[in-house]
Amino acid sequence: MNTVWRLTSRPHGPVRREDFSVSVEPLPTPGPGQVLLRNLYLIVPASMRLWMNAEDTYLPAQRLGAVMRGITVSVVEQSEDPAFPVGAYVNAMGGWQEYALAKTAHLQRITPHPDIGLASYRGVLGLQGMTAYCGLTDVCRPEPGQTLVVTAAAGSVGSLVCQIGKKLGLRVIGVAGGPAKCDWLVRACGADGAIDYKNDDVAARLDELCPDGVDMQFENVGGPVMDLIMARINRGARIALCGMVSGYQGGDNAGGHALMNLVNQRATLRGFIVSDYLHRAQEVCDRLTEWVLDGSLVYTEEFSDGLDSTPEAMNRLARGENRGTQFVRVSPV
Ligand SMILES: NC(=O)c1ccc[n+]([C@@H]2O[C@H](COP(=O)([O-])OP(=O)(O)OC[C@H]3O[C@@H](n4cnc5c(N)ncnc54)[C@H](OP(=O)(O)O)[C@@H]3O)[C@@H](O)[C@H]2O)c1
């Protein structure tokens, strides 16, 4: 039997258990070109909260009554495609459920390295690593010696952006909530400076840490801090608009009052979605794997157990309590 979570009402603010129905249903049977997957890990990215809102984004709004969309690492349990034998590990959109039926054309096989955890193929070596690497290299177009400011810098994507920025010879300033995260950014991720937006005078700290202005902004949050950074960009600055997590729970936090400075500084603000870069997945994964294995790219992963823990795992991100990438262990490996 399969335990299945469906979104039945749209949350306002934090996600609640009551926003879902949970049912136990018979297992589906795969047809030709299909497999039955058992979901092992569900990644909990900040954007999952955005998908629950009524508005379409880069994906259609999650349909009420449908299985909640979710990005998983899964294992093949039954197969009707010889290229995906039983026991093969795959990246899938397995959803909030224990088992999922999938067309193999939509799956990507994983050959796990013995020294790398399976979940990491959806974190540092998957969605989050790809977002950080492609957003920084393609959208920010880094030039050694220039200054990069990253928001949600101690988070899953942000902490990778900071470290890749250092590898590319940038001066990196991270913005994060609280002294522990800021300390970790400098100590473990090699950031040249960190700004605690919850306690510091952000404007004064930006002036102090970026005396020559900001050449690149990797924006994950939106709101007033985004404005303060954007007000300090240099001529020809590049801004990667990766996400605006401060607005995902609703309300009017998105800000953006400094947009006029893009005009003044002939700057480029570009939104991007990681799926634009799927054609580079193998190249980026190989590069990141090299750095993970030689220990030069640090990443943190946190796990909670069972689909029951998913709403709270999402709320931890909104409260800034996560350290690195958050996963749910859906079923044992
Ligand atoms: N464009 C793409 O293709 C793509 C792909 C993946 C992710 N993303 C984006 O990348 C960003 C980071 O996502 P992630 O999954 O790596 O999550 P994450 O950064 O690990 O977690 C979210 C962090 O955002 C901060 N935050 C949450 N609510 C906030 C608020 N109201 N104001 C200010 N900061 C807040 C918290 O850090 P603090 O404690 O520091 O506040 C929290 O830890 C998101 O904007 C997400 O949408 C985009």
Side-chain angles (χ1 to χ4, degrees):
M1 299 297 278
N2 188 18
T3 302
V4 182
W5 283 60
R6 292 187 161 79
L7 187 72
T8 48
S9 61
R10 302 199 185 280
H12 298 283
V15 182
R16 301 165 316 153
R17 168 66 184 78
E18 306 86 273
D19 296 320
F20 301 88
S21 71
V22 181
S23 52
V24 178
E25 303 176 6
L27 285 184
T29 309
Q34 292 186 329
V35 288
L36 177 69
L37 299 174
R38 182 164 57 84
N39 293 330
L40 303 174
Y41 296 104
L42 171 74
I43 184 172
V44 183
S47 33
M48 196 145 72
R49 177 64 186 81
L50 183 66
W51 305 340
M52 292 177 174
N53 294 337
E55 301 77 27
D56 291 345
T57 55
Y58 52 92
L59 291 174
Q62 170 71 35
R63 205 159 43 82
L64 292 181
V67 179
M68 181 60 213
R69 183 185 289 146
I71 302 174
T72 57
V73 175
S74 311
V75 62
V76 176
E77 292 275 310
Q78 292 175 29
S79 178
E80 291 296 330
D81 182 339
F84 289 82
V86 170
Y89 295 116
V90 294
N91 280 332
M93 291 296 290
W96 291 31
Q97 52 187 346
E98 287 177 322
Y99 293 87
L101 197 61
K103 287 186 183 155
T104 54
H106 297 165
L107 302 176
Q108 186 195 4
R109 264 191 85 165
I110 306 170
T111 311
H113 188 285
D115 295 334
I116 298 177
L118 261 180
S120 303
Y121 287 87
R122 272 316 203 186
V124 60
L125 302 180
L127 175 77
Q128 312 295 70
M130 282 277 294
T131 303
Y133 187 93
C134 294
L136 182 59
T137 56
D138 193 57
V139 183
C140 289
R141 289 181 282 109
E143 292 176 28
Q146 290 195 332
T147 298
L148 165 72
V149 180
V150 184
T151 53
S156 174
V157 169
S159 61
L160 299 174
V161 175
C162 291
Q163 294 176 76
I164 297 168
K166 286 310 297 173
K167 284 177 178 290
L168 299 177
L170 305 179
R171 180 176 160 70
V172 176
I173 307 301
V175 183
K181 286 188 176 184
C182 287
D183 180 55
W184 180 76
L185 272 174
V186 173
R187 205 175 21 79
C189 298
D192 298 284
I195 300 174
D196 173 358
Y197 76 91
K198 289 183 175 165
N199 297 295
D200 289 348
D201 176 338
V202 177
R205 288 284 286 152
L206 279 169
D207 289 340
E208 184 188 329
L209 291 169
C210 309
D212 299 323
V214 175
D215 302 298
M216 287 153 284
Q217 179 173 353
F218 195 104
E219 186 55 52
N220 287 317
V221 175
V225 172
M226 178 180 82
D227 275 12
L228 289 172
I229 302 165
M230 219 181 262
R232 288 162 174 77
I233 55 171
N234 290 329
R235 184 163 296 189
R238 287 84 61 203
I239 303 173
L241 191 57
C242 178
M244 300 180 84
V245 67
S246 63
Y248 291 178
Q249 291 202 334
D252 187 22
N253 276 346
H257 305 297
L259 286 175
M260 186 58 202
N261 206 26
L262 299 187
V263 182
N264 303 336
Q265 299 299 0
R266 289 78 153 169
T268 305
L269 168 72
R270 210 180 107 193
F272 73 100
I273 296 294
V274 61
S275 52
D276 303 341
Y277 295 97
L278 290 183
H279 59 288
R280 292 184 59 194
Q282 195 56 55
E283 166 210 334
V284 175
C285 183
D286 289 348
R287 189 98 202 257
L288 296 171
T289 302
E290 197 181 300
W291 291 337
V292 164
L293 290 174
D294 72 17
S296 67
L297 188 67
V298 300
Y299 60 99
T300 312
E301 296 175 336
E302 292 183 323
F303 295 87
S304 63
D305 286 306
L307 286 170
D308 284 346
S309 69
T310 316
E312 175 53 15
M314 290 184 64
N315 292 334
R316 293 189 72 235
L317 259 71
R319 294 194 299 264
E321 289 170 8
N322 65 305
R323 303 300 295 265
T325 314
Q326 179 88 44
F327 293 96
V328 172
R329 281 193 197 93
V330 181
S331 64
V333 175

